[in-house]
Amino acid sequence: MSRLIIILGTVIVLPLITLVAILFFVLDNPDAYKQQASEMVFEETGNQLVIDGDITWRFFPPIAIDITGISLVDPVNQKTIVSLNQASVDLALIPLLFDNELSIDGLSVDGLVIDAQIDKQGNTNWSKPKTQSIPNKSSTQTTNTTTAATNNTATEQQNSVTEPDTASSMSINIASVSVTDGQISYKDAQTEESYEISITRLQTTALVTNQPTDLTAELQVKDNQAELSADIDIDGTIMLNDQLDVVTVKAFSIDADVDSKEYGQIPLALKIDAIINSTQGTANVQSLNLDTMGIDLSGNMTVTDMDNVPQILGHIDIKDFDPRPVANKLQIELPPMSNKDALSQISLSTDLDGSADLMSLTNFNLAFDQSKLTGKLTANLSNIASYQFDLNMDQIDLTGYMAPDVAIESSPTVNSANAGAAGNTPTDSTSGTASNASSTIATASIEDSEIIPVQMLVETPFNGTLNLAKLSYEEYEFSDLKLQVDNKSPRLSLSTTMKGYGGTIDLTTNIKAIRLGKKPITDVQLTISTLDIAGLAATESITGALDVTTQHRFKGDMVSEVLNSITGNSNYTVNNGTIDVTAFKKVATVTDAIIGNQSSISQWPDMLPFENLKGNHKFEKGAAANQSFRFSFTNMDVSGKGGFDYFGNTVDYRVSTTFREDVNGPFTVNPKFAGIELPVDCKGSLDLDASELCKPDSKAVSKIMQDVATQELKRKGKKEAEKAIQDKVPEEHKELADKLLKGLFK
C-alpha cells in the first residue's frame, strides 16, 4: 500500500507540475509552443503530450491561461495515460508587469483522468526509456535548406525551453490549487492490485515549495482485489521541497467509512506526521494514530527501500480494548467460554523489525485479562506463511476460557451389557437396568469435537518455545511449564514439561500423516515422577507418590476417533501411600459373622497403608471396553477389565481382588480367604468417588462365601449361624447374610 501511495503521488503531481512548467514558455504565443512542450514531456517521461484543445490568454483580471483537451499518451499503443478536460491558471498581475516574474494565484483542474499501470515485468506506463524523436504532426519538410533552418530553430527553442528546468530543483508558487471531478485507476499486474479513486474535491492553500500547505479533499477509493470501498475525507498540512521528491505531512488526518462486502461498514480515523522521500525510497513516520472499532493504536516507524522490498523499523502501542465486539464485526467466531468476562481486555506494545514478507515483533508485550505474555514473534509471510515464537507468560487460569459445563441430569446406572455396547460415541443420555434401583448417576450430553486441527496444522507451519510460570485450571495448579513445538506438515512434535503436586510431568507428542483428507496418527509418551496422587486427583481413595511411564497411540482428529482407536500400555508405582479397602472389608465382615471367626481383613483400617503399589494398565482397541489393569500391594493382588464411555459419562469395570497369606506383611489374612478372588463392580458416573463407585457383586460374593463357609456353618448348625447374624452382622449387611444362610441350608 505504501508503494501505491508513492506511485499515485507521482502520477498525480507529475501532470500538475508539467502543466506549470509549460506555462513558463507559452507567454508570448501560447499555441506556437505546443510542439516544444510535447517534446519536453517526451524527453522526461517517454510519453507524448497531446494538446487537442486551445491554449488561450484571458486578459480580464485576473489574468489567466486556459488550456483544454490535454492528454498524455503512450506512443507505442496510443493509450491515454493522463487526460484533463480543462485547466485554468490565474496569474498575479503586478509581478508579471514589473518584475517579469510568473506568479500563479490559482490553479484549477477539472476532469482529471489518470490510468496508471504496471505490467508483469514491473514496467510502468508513465515512465519509459527515452527515444530520439517523437511524431511531429505539424512539421513539413520542403527543401534541405529549409529543413536545416527549421532544425536549427527548433534546437534553439528546445534549449531555451529546457535551460531553466534542472533535474535538481523547481520553484513553485501557486496561491491555491483546486481539482474537481478526478478519476484515477491503478493496476499492478505483478501483485494483482487494482484500485480506483474518484476525486470529488481537492483544495489547497498557497502551494509554495519548502512552505506548509493546507490540503483538504473528498475521495472515494475502491480496492477491487479486496472488494473494499471507502468514502474518505482528508485534512492536513503538506510541504514539498525544491526537488519535489520530499513530502512532509503534519497533522494529516484521514477519516474513512470503509465498506466491505463481507464485514459491512467499518469507521476508521488515521492521523499521521511523516516525511516521505521518493528519491531515497524512505518514509519517516514520526507519529501515527489509528482509531477503528474501539481499537486505539499509536506508533512510529521508519520505512526504507520502498521501491523494492520495504523494510520497516518502528514501535506500536494498542490501548486496552474489548476484542469480542471486534471479532463479532469481523465475523470471527470465538469459542464458547465458561466465564462471560473472559477475553474482554487486551493491550499490546511491541517493536517492529522487518518487511511485509518477514516481520519480527520484538519486545513483545501482550496483556489479556489477568495474564501477560512477553517475548518475540516472527512471521514469514512469503509463499506459505510460517511463524516462530519465543514467549514467556506469567500466569493463566484456563478455567474461564474453557467451554461451559454441559447440562447434567440423573439417570439410572448403566448395566455392564449396555455400557459395553455403547462405546465412545456421542450420545444424548445413557440409561439401562440398574442392579440397584435406587442408584442413580449423573450423565451429560457431550458433543464430539475436533482435538487435532488438521487444516490449521497443514496450512500454518510454526515452531517455538513457551515458558509459563503458573498454570491453573479449576482446583489444579502447575508451575514452570515449558512447551516446545515444531509443526511442519506432515509432522508435528510437541514436548511439555511442568511441575506440580510435589512432582514433575514430562509429555512428548508426535503426530504424523497430517494431511487434508487423512486421519493423523499420534504417539504419546508420558513420564510422571513423585506426584502426590491424592492432591492431583482430589480424592482420598488412594494416596502416595506416583511414578508413571506410558506409551499410547491413536488415530484420528476427533475425540470419538481418539477414544475408539487408542492402544498402549502404562506402568505405574505408588510409594508410601494408602488405599480405600472398604468394599473388600464388607465382604469379609459378612463372612466372618456367618462363620463366627473374625478374620484380620475385617480389622483392616478403611484406608490400608502400603509401602509400594505396582501395576500396569492397557488399552486395546479403544477406551469403551477391553481395558485391563493389574496392581499388587501388601497382601492383595487386584486385576480388572472394562472401559469407560466418555460421552455417556460412565465407567464399567469388573475388578477382582485376591488376598495372599503373607506373614511378612503388615496385616495377616485368614487362610480361608487366601487365593480366593473377590469380585467388585465399579460401575456408574465418572463424577463419583471410587468408594461410591465400587461395590461388591453380591451374587458372586455369595457363591464364593458359600464355598468358604459351608463346612464351618454345617458344623455349627443353622441356629447358631442365625444367632451370629443377628448379633454380629451390621444392619446394612443382614439382608445379604440371611440370603447366604438360606442358600447354604437348602
Side-chain angles (χ1 to χ4, degrees):
M1 190 66 182
S2 59
R3 182 186 183 196
L4 171 64
I5 294 172
I6 296 299
I7 291 172
L8 290 181
T10 301
V11 299
I12 292 174
V13 172
L14 181 62
L16 300 179
I17 300 306
T18 302
L19 177 62
V20 173
I22 293 170
L23 296 177
F24 282 95
F25 314 109
V26 299
L27 295 178
D28 292 330
N29 186 359
D31 280 329
Y33 286 86
K34 289 182 179 180
Q35 179 64 24
Q36 284 82 351
S38 182
E39 290 175 355
M40 182 189 69
V41 172
F42 183 81
E43 178 69 20
E44 294 299 323
T45 69
N47 294 306
Q48 183 179 358
L49 178 67
V50 178
I51 305 176
D52 291 330
D54 296 326
I55 302 177
T56 60
W57 278 97
R58 187 174 71 241
F59 294 100
F60 229 62
I63 295 177
I65 295 176
D66 292 334
I67 305 175
T68 59
I70 300 177
S71 59
L72 189 67
V73 178
D74 188 329
V76 177
N77 55 30
Q78 293 300 305
K79 290 185 177 180
T80 300
I81 302 169
V82 180
S83 67
L84 57 87
N85 292 333
Q86 182 179 1
S88 297
V89 183
D90 297 336
L91 304 178
L93 180 60
I94 300 302
L96 184 63
L97 293 177
F98 297 100
D99 299 328
N100 197 29
E101 178 184 336
L102 181 65
S103 181
I104 300 175
D105 280 342
L107 173 62
S108 300
V109 176
D110 182 65
L112 175 67
V113 177
I114 299 175
D115 181 16
Q117 296 188 24
I118 302 175
D119 63 21
K120 291 185 177 180
Q121 288 72 42
N123 302 315
T124 67
N125 67 341
W126 62 85
S127 179
K128 295 181 174 59
K130 299 176 182 179
T131 58
Q132 293 182 348
S133 63
I134 63 172
N136 187 343
K137 297 180 181 179
S138 62
S139 63
T140 304
Q141 297 180 347
T142 55
T143 63
N144 291 337
T145 303
T146 304
T147 301
T150 303
N151 288 340
N152 290 336
T153 302
T155 301
E156 293 173 359
Q157 293 171 339
Q158 175 89 12
N159 291 336
S160 66
V161 168
T162 58
E163 186 174 356
D165 182 31
T166 66
S168 60
S169 66
M170 176 180 289
S171 178
I172 299 176
N173 188 345
I174 305 174
S176 65
V177 174
S178 175
V179 178
T180 56
D181 193 22
Q183 299 289 330
I184 302 171
S185 64
Y186 168 84
K187 293 182 180 179
D188 189 333
Q190 289 183 316
T191 62
E192 297 184 353
E193 291 177 299
S194 175
Y195 299 92
E196 296 176 17
I197 301 176
S198 298
I199 303 174
T200 303
R201 176 187 61 84
L202 186 150
Q203 186 73 44
T204 74
T205 57
L207 181 60
V208 182
T209 50
N210 297 317
Q211 293 187 24
T213 299
D214 293 337
L215 180 148
T216 60
E218 294 179 13
L219 310 174
Q220 292 79 43
V221 178
K222 185 177 181 181
D223 184 341
N224 295 314
Q225 185 182 42
E227 295 185 307
L228 296 174
S229 62
D231 294 328
I232 300 175
D233 290 333
I234 297 175
D235 188 359
T237 300
I238 65 170
M239 184 172 66
L240 298 171
N241 70 338
D242 290 337
Q243 290 77 29
L244 306 181
D245 62 348
V246 178
V247 180
T248 303
V249 296
K250 291 286 187 181
F252 202 80
S253 66
I254 299 175
D255 294 312
D257 287 323
V258 181
D259 192 1
S260 166
K261 180 180 179 181
E262 187 173 1
Y263 306 121
Q265 283 199 341
I266 299 175
L268 180 150
L270 176 66
K271 294 182 180 180
I272 187 171
D273 291 340
I275 300 174
I276 304 170
N277 189 317
S278 60
T279 300
Q280 297 179 359
T282 63
N284 181 12
V285 182
Q286 301 158 327
S287 175
L288 171 71
N289 292 94
L290 174 66
D291 188 354
T292 180
M293 297 183 293
I295 301 174
D296 185 355
L297 180 150
S298 61
N300 59 79
M301 65 185 68
T302 300
V303 185
T304 58
D305 201 16
M306 290 193 299
D307 294 333
N308 298 299
V309 180
Q311 302 297 308
I312 302 171
L313 186 66
H315 179 85
I316 61 171
D317 290 302
I318 300 177
K319 295 181 180 179
D320 286 338
F321 74 99
D322 187 345
R324 296 172 299 180
V326 178
N328 183 59
K329 182 66 176 179
L330 299 180
Q331 299 179 20
I332 299 173
E333 185 176 355
L334 297 176
M337 303 179 193
S338 59
N339 184 352
K340 62 181 180 63
D341 294 324
L343 207 62
S344 61
Q345 189 178 42
I346 290 181
S347 64
L348 173 66
S349 175
T350 185
D351 293 333
L352 307 176
D353 186 2
S355 65
D357 292 335
L358 181 62
M359 178 59 67
S360 293
L361 305 183
T362 58
N363 295 320
F364 181 82
N365 194 325
L366 175 69
F368 63 97
D369 298 335
Q370 305 301 316
S371 302
K372 292 183 179 179
L373 186 66
T374 61
K376 179 180 179 180
L377 288 169
T378 300
N380 188 339
L381 303 178
S382 60
N383 298 325
I384 298 177
S386 62
Y387 304 89
Q388 296 80 42
F389 58 90
D390 186 1
L391 299 172
N392 299 284
M393 185 181 294
D394 59 346
Q395 62 89 27
I396 186 170
D397 187 347
L398 296 178
T399 307
Y401 300 102
M402 306 303 289
D405 291 336
V406 293
I408 301 296
E409 61 181 11
S410 295
S411 65
T413 305
V414 182
N415 62 26
S416 58
N418 287 343
N424 280 291
T425 54
T427 179
D428 290 333
S429 61
T430 307
S431 60
T433 302
S435 58
N436 184 343
S438 63
S439 176
T440 61
I441 62 171
T443 62
S445 175
I446 304 175
E447 294 184 358
D448 200 5
S449 60
E450 185 181 52
I451 195 171
I452 299 176
V454 173
Q455 183 170 344
M456 186 275 287
L457 295 177
V458 169
E459 296 176 351
T460 313
F462 58 89
N463 65 83
T465 301
L466 171 65
N467 294 294
L468 175 58
K470 180 181 178 182
L471 172 65
S472 303
Y473 175 66
E474 293 184 347
E475 69 272 18
Y476 304 106
E477 289 189 359
F478 298 92
S479 64
D480 300 327
L481 181 145
K482 183 175 183 179
L483 180 149
Q484 294 177 299
V485 62
D486 186 6
N487 172 53
K488 189 175 182 180
S489 180
R491 291 182 177 272
L492 177 145
S493 62
L494 174 66
S495 174
T496 306
T497 63
M498 70 180 83
K499 297 178 180 179
Y501 299 96
T504 61
I505 300 174
D506 295 287
L507 175 67
T508 301
T509 304
N510 291 288
I511 308 176
K512 58 185 180 181
I514 305 175
R515 296 184 178 90
L516 296 178
K518 301 292 184 180
K519 295 300 181 183
I521 299 173
T522 303
D523 291 302
V524 179
Q525 293 182 327
L526 174 66
T527 301
I528 299 175
S529 300
T530 64
L531 194 80
D532 179 5
I533 189 171
L536 175 66
T539 179
E540 296 181 357
S541 297
I542 184 170
T543 66
L546 174 67
D547 295 327
V548 178
T549 59
T550 73
Q551 288 187 328
H552 293 98
R553 167 173 287 193
F554 52 82
K555 184 176 183 180
D557 58 337
M558 303 296 289
V559 172
S560 59
E561 294 171 335
V562 170
L563 294 173
N564 289 331
S565 64
I566 187 169
T567 59
N569 183 69
S570 299
N571 294 306
Y572 51 88
T573 301
V574 182
N575 295 308
N576 301 317
T578 60
I579 189 169
D580 188 342
V581 293
T582 305
F584 308 113
K585 286 179 60 181
K586 289 178 180 178
V587 176
T589 299
V590 172
T591 307
D592 287 350
I594 295 174
I595 296 175
N597 182 20
Q598 190 176 51
S599 67
S600 61
I601 296 177
S602 62
Q603 298 302 308
W604 285 3
D606 291 344
M607 297 299 297
L608 183 66
F610 60 84
E611 292 183 1
N612 183 273
L613 182 154
K614 291 185 178 180
N616 64 75
H617 177 279
K618 290 183 179 180
F619 284 106
E620 294 184 21
K621 298 180 181 180
N626 302 316
Q627 294 184 43
S628 62
F629 62 87
R630 182 181 297 275
F631 63 87
S632 300
F633 71 100
T634 311
N635 306 68
M636 188 183 300
D637 297 322
V638 180
S639 62
K641 292 184 177 181
F644 63 86
D645 181 357
Y646 170 76
F647 295 102
N649 198 45
T650 60
V651 297
D652 188 358
Y653 290 96
R654 179 76 165 189
V655 182
S656 295
T657 302
T658 303
F659 296 102
R660 297 192 306 271
E661 185 179 5
D662 188 352
V663 296
N664 296 321
F667 299 97
T668 58
V669 175
N670 191 313
K672 295 183 178 65
F673 286 96
I676 298 176
E677 290 189 3
L678 301 178
V680 174
D681 287 328
C682 296
K683 185 186 305 181
S685 170
L686 282 165
D687 300 321
L688 297 177
D689 191 81
S691 60
E692 300 176 278
L693 193 64
C694 298
K695 307 290 184 183
D697 182 340
S698 58
K699 291 183 178 179
V701 171
S702 296
K703 180 65 171 65
I704 293 170
M705 293 301 99
Q706 182 176 349
D707 295 338
V708 174
T710 296
Q711 297 302 320
E712 187 71 16
L713 289 172
K714 287 184 177 179
R715 182 180 65 81
K716 292 184 176 181
K718 183 177 180 181
K719 288 185 178 180
E720 187 174 344
E722 288 176 343
K723 185 176 183 301
I725 291 174
Q726 294 300 319
D727 295 341
K728 299 181 180 181
V729 174
E731 192 67 32
E732 64 269 23
H733 301 315
K734 284 183 178 179
E735 183 179 355
L736 174 59
D738 287 336
K739 290 181 179 179
L740 277 172
L741 188 62
K742 290 178 181 178
L744 291 173
F745 289 95
K746 282 184 178 179

